Amino acid sequence: ISGRDLTSVEPGETDIAEFTIEIGEPLPPEPDGAGENTEEHVVSPPVAGMAPEVPSRDPQEIPPAKEAAAGPDAEAVQKARYRLEAGGQASEVRRVAMGRVDSAVSALRQIPGDDRADAVHTARKDMKKVRAVLSLVRGEIGKQAYNREKAVFRDAARLLSETRDAEVLAATLASVMDDYPDEAPPVEGLVADLDARRDSVGADAGESLEDTIAQVAEEIEDGGRRVADWPLEDSGWSIFEPGLKRSYRRGRSALAEIEKQTGAGSAPDPGKVHAFRKRVKELWYELRLFRDAWPEGMKGPVRESSRLADLLGDYNDLSVLLDEIEGQTAAEDYSVLIETIESRQAGILADGLPTARRLYAEEPEAFTARIGAYWSA
């Protein structure tokens, strides 16, 4: 903004100022969708054969040109960006890891009481990102250091998610009821039971939430102090190659296990779907770190791994709900409800498996070499 500023005026007085506003590239609109991943997409045009991307306004996704004009907080935004930039690989890894540590600790310590749920959600996402960074440099820092640091950030995230199962059960059942036939046997007893359990667990957790948040913030901060000591060297792409190749290979193997079962006409084992989802999500977080290497080339894999992780997460939530129903001793008839859930799971697989096959179509060596070529170009 340039021009003459407005002067101070008294009540009843007026003043006129002339100024010019220079508008850069607009930020994308807020996404309409829900879910853990939607706020973390970047805007891109549709890629042939792939679903259109969900836009967002995550400050971490603002390109450098926008950050430069963001004002006094631009340096802090740049420091916190969840993207690796070309240059000193070791310093970049530490910057990204510390950016997520600082974000999590700040969210947990500087929040009013009403915003705790959002703060916990932010901190849990940040811990997943730190673990993805660790996974990428596992070969560089060594197995012992990797296991130690991963355990710290994993356990901290788990302390923040004690109420998740009860919340997910109730929310998943509510979503399934949208497809439940009106003429089917009523299941109000199950709905009431899961709602009551969610409320009870939430109330119990609320009593000690402040202590838990304080404990987790301290543990995350302690882990952050060791980031500077991670044994990293600026060794070019080789600092990342073993970790990315391992993640991709594990995802490919997990997909093969699912394909083996579905190819035989059986529904896949829920545990195998859950394992595959973890591999996909790990790859998604890792690929996001390399988006600046070639934004156009990375958009498709980043977007589709995110979407696939969401689909598999929905599948897993439905599996947990099925386990809960099978453990019920009430006299209600759940046969139609079980059929409704299994039908939804079949639809998820029909939607997600083609994407999974494309995402993991390459041999690990070829995939890693391609991403490395983007990075080194």
Side-chain angles (χ1 to χ4, degrees), residues 104 107-108 118-128 157 160 220:
L108 294 175
D118 290 340
V120 166
H121 184 58
T122 295
R124 291 184 67 240
K125 288 193 300 180
D126 284 330
M127 293 304 93
K128 292 175 184 177
L160 295 174
I220 293 173

Side-chain angles (χ1 to χ4, degrees), residues 306-317:
S306 171
R307 176 176 174 272
L308 181 58
D310 278 342
L311 287 172
L312 297 173
D314 292 342
Y315 190 102
N316 181 68
D317 292 341

Side-chain angles (χ1 to χ4, degrees), residues 9 48 93 96 122 127 198 207 253 281 306 312 357 359:
V9 295
V93 168
V96 171
T122 295
M127 293 304 93
R198 175 199 58 203
E207 296 175 359
S253 297
K281 199 153 193 176
S306 171
L312 297 173
R357 296 179 188 119
L359 185 62

Side-chain angles (χ1 to χ4, degrees), residues 87-166:
Q89 283 82 2
S91 61
E92 274 296 287
V93 168
R94 293 190 178 99
R95 175 190 64 78
V96 171
M98 281 306 304
R100 304 325 330 135
V101 167
D102 291 344
S103 171
V105 172
S106 176
L108 294 175
R109 286 182 173 167
Q110 300 179 20
I111 53 170
D114 293 342
D115 294 332
R116 285 174 180 160
D118 290 340
V120 166
H121 184 58
T122 295
R124 291 184 67 240
K125 288 193 300 180
D126 284 330
M127 293 304 93
K128 292 175 184 177
K129 293 174 183 177
V130 174
R131 283 153 50 199
V133 173
L134 276 166
S135 177
L136 261 185
V137 298
R138 171 177 175 158
E140 188 80 8
I141 67 176
K143 184 177 180 179
Q144 183 176 356
Y146 166 79
N147 288 336
R148 181 186 66 241
E149 301 304 327
K150 179 182 177 181
V152 169
F153 296 114
R154 179 196 61 213
D155 293 346
R158 283 177 177 173
L159 283 173
L160 295 174
S161 59
E162 292 180 351
T163 64
R164 182 181 184 277
D165 287 346

